[in-house]
Amino acid sequence: MTQAVTNPAARLSPREQQIFEYLADGSSLAEVGLRLGIRQNTVQSYLSLAKLKLGAKSENAAALAAAYALGGLPQPKPLDPSELSLPREQLALVPLLAQGMRVSQMASVLKRPVSIIRRDARGLMKNLRARNAAQTVKRTWQYQLLTADQVLEWLT
C-alpha cells in the first residue's frame, strides 16, 4: 500500500477528522450532526473548511480520498483484496468516483450510458457494502483499489 504524503496544510482539526470518519463509515451529514450533537449546517461548515485545507473538490468522497492521500486522516485498516471480486465495469468507476465525478461525468468519460453507470455504481457500493460514496472510497482504499499515488496525481 502506498503511504500518504504528510502535508502540513492538510492538517485537519479533531472535529474535522471526526466528521470525515463518520462519513467514511456511511453516515449522512444529518447523522453526523446527530452523533456529534451539532447542527447539520455546522457539520457542512467544518467540511467546507476541511476541503479548503485539502485543496479538494466539493464532493465528500473526493475530499476523503484527498484526506487519506495527504495524511489529513489516518489511512483505514487494509482488507485482503483477494476476498473481493469486482467486474471490470465497476472497477473502472473507482478512480472517477474518488475524483468526485457525478454519474453523467463518468458516463461521458467511459462512453457508456448513464443508466449503465448508475447500475454499475449501485453494484459497486453493494459489493463493497457501502452506504454512500465516501464509504465506497474508504472501502476501495482498504482493498487497495485506490492509492495515495493515484489521488496525488489528480490533486496536482
Side-chain angles (χ1 to χ4, degrees):
M1 181 188 326
T2 311
Q3 288 296 99
V5 173
T6 304
N7 181 344
R11 178 162 275 147
L12 300 177
S13 73
R15 180 64 87 188
E16 292 164 343
Q17 289 180 15
Q18 282 180 314
I19 290 169
F20 273 119
E21 287 167 1
Y22 285 142
L23 289 173
D25 286 337
S27 295
S28 67
L29 291 178
E31 291 167 331
V32 172
L34 286 172
R35 291 174 83 172
L36 296 175
I38 59 178
R39 293 178 182 220
Q40 184 175 337
N41 55 349
T42 304
V43 172
Q44 189 61 54
S45 294
Y46 277 112
L47 264 177
S48 295
L49 181 58
K51 289 172 185 177
L52 281 173
K53 290 178 184 180
L54 296 166
K57 293 185 178 181
S58 62
E59 294 297 319
N60 293 341
L64 180 66
Y68 287 148
L70 295 171
L73 278 179
Q75 294 188 5
K77 178 184 171 195
L79 299 172
D80 183 1
S82 69
E83 296 175 1
L84 183 67
S85 176
L86 296 175
R88 63 179 172 78
E89 295 84 4
Q90 291 178 12
L91 285 170
L93 299 180
V94 170
L96 306 179
L97 180 73
Q99 289 178 61
M101 286 190 188
R102 300 205 181 274
V103 171
S104 60
Q105 293 169 307
M106 291 183 216
S108 177
V109 168
L110 297 173
K111 298 180 180 17
R112 295 172 48 211
V114 170
S115 61
I116 300 299
I117 298 295
R118 276 196 186 99
R119 181 201 66 197
D120 290 341
R122 282 191 302 270
L124 175 65
M125 290 176 69
K126 181 179 178 184
N127 286 333
L128 292 170
R129 297 175 313 280
R131 290 180 51 200
N132 59 26
Q135 191 173 29
T136 302
V137 165
K138 176 183 177 180
R139 295 264 197 258
T140 57
W141 203 282
Q142 289 177 299
Y143 283 111
Q144 294 123 58
L145 301 172
L146 183 62
T147 66
D149 287 341
Q150 289 173 300
V151 175
L152 291 171
E153 184 178 316
W154 307 324
L155 292 174
T156 57

